[in-house]
């Protein structure tokens, strides 16, 4: 199978190809003078089995994914891996007149099969016009946390939406886990309800599917530090880390930010390549 990485997932595609014992196909990425995107796959894909790997954190990344799919039109089998899918959080109409953006995006993906990783809302999968499967990086995140040698660790989900994830991350590793309650006031402001927890002197890891503006985690870190947690780490699958999120988190007292390479950031300390490689091997 030919592994083709888009501009947002070059490292992850390369790691996946290596895990499968092959080399990633070389692509060229550029822009026309007017700003429009140009790309070229430098190997023939006609009648080949292909896996495209491209996260879509930006609109340009989404256009690049559509271009890659179009460039592979003659492939015998086209698998599209979207490790981080942008717009997945607008999974319903919150107000009249709004689009279901996740639907608008997913319906454009013409492929034989789609894989996502810890997509924000699994109901989005039904919007793809082909079979779509969500892969779970929880085990990889849990193993990474287990390797940190933390003192009396407690894993905490910052809201009820992340309860399932923190449970899966802890699963089989014997970590104690709990969750907080969050109310969102605006795009970057949240309130975390105070909860008395047994964190004094302990190493706490906050676990969520993604960190966007850092508001959720910053408020949670403050509460846990106020209650005497010795160290607070944050772990997520998708380190979106928009705007000044990193500064907000360190200002709140985080010990370290742990993310995966579904988004390639300085904080992407662990790779989901084994997860993707296993899924592709199973086809
Ligand atoms: C929302 O439900 C997600 O799981 C995250 O909690 C949220 O996207 C984090 O956003 P922010 O970092 O902007 O608070």
């Amino acid at each position: 199978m030919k592994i083709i990485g888009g501009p947002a997932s070059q490292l992850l595609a390369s790691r996946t190809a290596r895990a499968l014992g092959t080399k990633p196909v070389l692509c060229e990425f550029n822009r026309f003078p007017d700003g429009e995107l140009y790309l070229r796959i430098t190997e023939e894909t006609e009648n080949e089995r292909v896996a495209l790997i491209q996260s879509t954190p930006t609109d340009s990344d989404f256009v690049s994914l559509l271009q890659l799919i179009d460039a592979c039109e003659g492939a015998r089998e086209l698998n599209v891996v979207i490790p981080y899918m942008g717009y997945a959080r607008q999974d319903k109409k919150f107000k009249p007149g709004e689009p279901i953006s996740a639907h608008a995006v997913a319906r454009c993906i013409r492929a034989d099969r789609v894989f996502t990783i810890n997509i924000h809302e699994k109901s989005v999968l039904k919007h793809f016009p082909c079979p779509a499967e969500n892969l779970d990086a929880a085990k990889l995140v849990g193993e990474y946390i287990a390797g940190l040698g933390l003192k009396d660790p407690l894993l905490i989900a910052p809201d009820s939406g992340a309860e399932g994830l923190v449970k899966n991350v802890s699963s089989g590793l014997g970590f104690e886990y709990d969750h907080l309650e969050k109310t969102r006031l605006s795009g970057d402001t949240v309130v975390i309800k105070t909860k008395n927890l047994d964190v004094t002197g302990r190493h706490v890891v906050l676990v969520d599917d993604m960190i966007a503006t850092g508001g959720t985690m910053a408020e949670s870190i403050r509460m846990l530090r106020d209650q005497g947690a010795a160290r607070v780490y944050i772990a997520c699958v998708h380190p979106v880390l928009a705007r000044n999120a990193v500064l907000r988190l360190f200002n709140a007292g985080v010990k370290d930010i742990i993310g995966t390479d579904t988004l390639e950031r300085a904080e992407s300390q662990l790779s989901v390549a084994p997860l993707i490689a296993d899924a592709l091997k199973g086809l």
Side-chain angles (χ1 to χ4, degrees), residues 136-159:
D136 188 0
K139 189 164 180 278
L140 291 172
V141 174
E143 285 166 358
Y144 187 86
I145 293 170
L148 294 174
L150 303 183
K151 183 180 156 198
D152 198 9
L154 173 64
L155 273 52
I156 297 185
D159 57 31

Side-chain angles (χ1 to χ4, degrees), residues 111-123:
D112 293 306
R113 197 175 292 101
V114 168
F115 292 101
T116 57
I117 299 181
N118 292 89
I119 193 163
H120 184 68
E121 182 50 63
K122 277 196 194 153
S123 63

Side-chain angles (χ1 to χ4, degrees), residues 27-219:
C27 294
E28 292 168 5
F29 309 118
N30 214 330
R31 277 190 188 270
F32 288 102
D34 61 1
E36 287 182 353
L37 292 161
Y38 170 87
L39 67 77
R40 179 173 163 260
I41 302 169
T42 65
E43 282 180 29
E44 190 53 67
T45 56
E46 193 80 16
N47 290 321
E48 298 282 350
R49 297 182 74 214
V50 171
L52 296 176
I53 304 179
Q54 166 74 342
S55 283
T56 57
T58 68
D59 301 348
S60 296
D61 291 319
F62 178 64
V63 172
S64 294
L65 177 60
L66 297 183
Q67 289 176 315
L68 284 165
I69 291 170
D70 200 69
C72 293
E73 201 176 37
R76 173 158 55 96
E77 177 188 320
L78 183 58
N79 301 290
V80 171
V81 184
I82 312 175
Y84 171 78
M85 181 181 158
Y87 291 100
R89 282 182 290 177
Q90 179 88 29
D91 58 319
K92 54 179 171 253
K93 290 177 190 276
F94 295 94
K95 290 181 190 161
E98 286 180 351
I100 301 174
S101 302
H103 175 236
V105 166
R107 68 196 300 187
C108 299
I109 307 299
R110 302 281 158 193
D112 293 306
R113 197 175 292 101
V114 168
F115 292 101
T116 57
I117 299 181
N118 292 89
I119 193 163
H120 184 68
E121 182 50 63
K122 277 196 194 153
S123 63
V124 169
L125 298 177
K126 70 174 185 290
H127 298 315
F128 289 99
C130 61
E133 186 183 333
N134 187 52
L135 307 176
D136 188 0
K139 189 164 180 278
L140 291 172
V141 174
E143 285 166 358
Y144 187 86
I145 293 170
L148 294 174
L150 303 183
K151 183 180 156 198
D152 198 9
L154 173 64
L155 273 52
I156 297 185
D159 57 31
S160 56
E163 264 184 278
L165 179 64
V166 80
K167 187 175 171 204
N168 290 345
V169 168
S170 309
S171 172
L173 295 165
F175 292 133
E176 195 185 327
Y177 61 90
D178 207 330
H179 73 95
L180 304 175
E181 276 174 49
K182 171 175 96 177
T183 308
R184 183 166 286 286
L185 303 180
S186 70
D188 59 0
T189 318
V190 302
V191 173
I192 300 286
K193 192 173 166 191
T194 304
K195 181 171 184 179
N196 288 322
L197 296 155
D198 173 23
V199 293
T200 308
R202 297 177 74 176
H203 292 174
V204 179
V205 187
L206 285 158
V207 180
D208 206 349
D209 61 339
M210 71 173 79
I211 305 168
T213 65
T216 300
M217 290 299 199
E219 287 310 305

